[in-house]
Amino acid sequence: MPLAVEQQIQTVFAEQSRRVLATLIRLLGDFDLAEDALQEAFLAALRQWPEEGIPDKPRAWLVSAGRFKAIDQLRRRARYHEILQQQADALAAQAVVSMEEEQVGIEDDRLRLIFTCCHPGLAQEAQVALTLREVCGLTTEEIASAFLQKTPTVAQRIVRAKAKIRDAGIPYEVPEGEDLLSRLESVLQVIYLVFNEGYLSASADQPLRHDLGDEAIRLAELLNALLPEPQPEALGLLALMLLHHARRHTRLDAEGELVLLEEQDRSQWDREDIARADGLIRHSLSSQRFGPYTLQAAIAGIHAHAPSAQETDWQEIVGLYDLLHQHMPTPVVALNRAVAVAMRDGPEVGLKELERLMKAPALQQYHLAHAAVADMHRRLGNHQQAHRDYERALALTSQPAEQRFLRRRMAQLA
């Protein structure tokens, strides 16, 4: 196979495989059958495209090929089960549409898939795992690593979720009316978790995965477009992701190591994304129905508009964290507020606040909490204590880029 053609096919797979899978799930009504059909379709492409050329609409070709491969697979197994023959016949009857007609609804299929994966009939852990696996294409190992769980546990969770969708007849659709709004929170949560996996991936080779960030933003945009009326928190989440994504090209240095916000080259931040986010934040705040996503976006917006780290309006940020803590009174929000207080009032004041918060068991197991305490001691010149706290943080994170960053901090103290 010519190298250029092979590279083109690999590009199509990288860009289209999850979209093709979402459509095959809609057409076939079965996750496992659709996954097998996807693989068969790409194997067919590897055989045929080098000789016949890459089709004008490769996604539609793959969807059509995948469906017919699924029909063939069902018929091969039908000798053991009459129901499979009936299913194959039904799919074959539906397959008379042309490839152009088959594209109808394809753009919405991944959103339909998200609402299916986020159905309230599934446990939240299952919703997240299934969405990351089926919508984003993360491996089971990557999901387990991201959430510090055992791979067999996550694999079993995904298997059970698929079985429940099939056995309970959970519809593959975007809900309407009040049902849509009631399920919106879980969908936003899953989209943000997808974005966060791209923002700092569990992968050792790829600490930042811009493809996941792009996909989460695309899904949030599509979600906002399909909602019957603007929803402040859906707008707020999109704004928050845009603001973080605006800094994507400055978060790693030339050696691929993490760069802190205060040290990033602000001239390289994407001003178009920042401007888009500003409009979304204003819209959400003006509704008076905003929540945690919008407030986090407003905080990120202050950072985005500060000419430098030294000129950041920490007084405004502390005020926003006060409001955020009312909406979301979690230890992590309190931790972030304490760090902002330290930036406003000095590390000694911040350290006192952090030491009070560190009594919470949740923060004792949170590596960024120990890293924040270490940073206060570093700034105060308490290098031995800072070293001990960095060591605690290092022991609690398995993220390779974060581990390297903490080791560099410890080396700088030495």
Side-chain angles (χ1 to χ4, degrees), residues 44-237:
L46 285 169
R47 288 192 299 269
Q48 294 177 229
W49 289 4
E51 295 181 3
E52 302 173 4
I54 296 177
D56 293 335
K57 297 177 179 176
R59 193 195 313 178
W61 189 100
L62 290 163
V63 167
S64 182
R67 179 155 64 178
F68 282 109
K69 293 293 181 182
I71 293 169
D72 291 342
Q73 184 180 139
L74 287 171
R75 283 182 168 153
R76 286 196 301 270
R77 292 155 49 191
R79 71 184 92 174
Y80 305 110
H81 208 306
E82 184 179 350
I83 293 176
L84 293 178
Q85 180 63 56
Q86 295 172 357
Q87 186 180 355
D89 291 342
L91 288 172
Q94 296 168 6
V96 297
V97 297
S98 68
M99 287 171 62
E100 280 72 20
E101 291 171 326
E102 200 155 45
Q103 292 185 92
V104 174
I106 280 182
E107 288 302 323
D108 299 343
D109 278 335
R110 299 193 81 182
L111 189 66
R112 291 189 184 95
L113 182 55
I114 280 194
F115 271 100
T116 303
C117 293
C118 298
H119 194 277
L122 304 174
Q124 187 179 63
E125 294 87 352
Q127 294 175 17
V128 172
L130 191 61
T131 301
L132 289 173
R133 179 72 188 92
E134 302 301 329
V135 180
C136 302
L138 272 68
T139 66
T140 307
E141 291 77 12
E142 286 174 326
I143 299 168
S145 176
F147 293 95
L148 303 180
Q149 295 168 346
K150 295 180 179 179
T151 299
T153 301
V154 173
Q156 190 59 36
R157 188 174 292 156
I158 291 171
V159 169
R160 286 197 299 266
K162 290 178 181 177
K164 184 159 188 176
I165 290 171
R166 181 187 64 244
D167 297 342
I170 290 176
Y172 182 76
E173 64 184 13
V174 178
E176 297 180 354
E178 291 301 318
D179 190 26
L180 185 150
L181 298 179
S182 68
R183 286 172 53 188
L184 182 60
E185 184 177 350
S186 63
V187 172
L188 294 177
Q189 198 168 42
V190 169
I191 291 175
Y192 195 37
L193 286 166
V194 172
F195 181 83
N196 281 333
E197 173 58 24
Y199 187 75
L200 187 59
S201 172
S203 169
D205 300 327
Q206 209 175 356
L208 309 185
R209 292 189 57 184
H210 299 323
D211 57 332
L212 287 181
D214 290 336
E215 190 57 38
I217 288 171
R218 191 192 76 83
L219 288 168
E221 289 172 335
L222 187 56
L223 176 66
N224 277 286
L226 292 177
L227 289 171
E229 61 181 30
Q231 296 299 314
E233 280 298 83
L235 297 173
L237 174 60

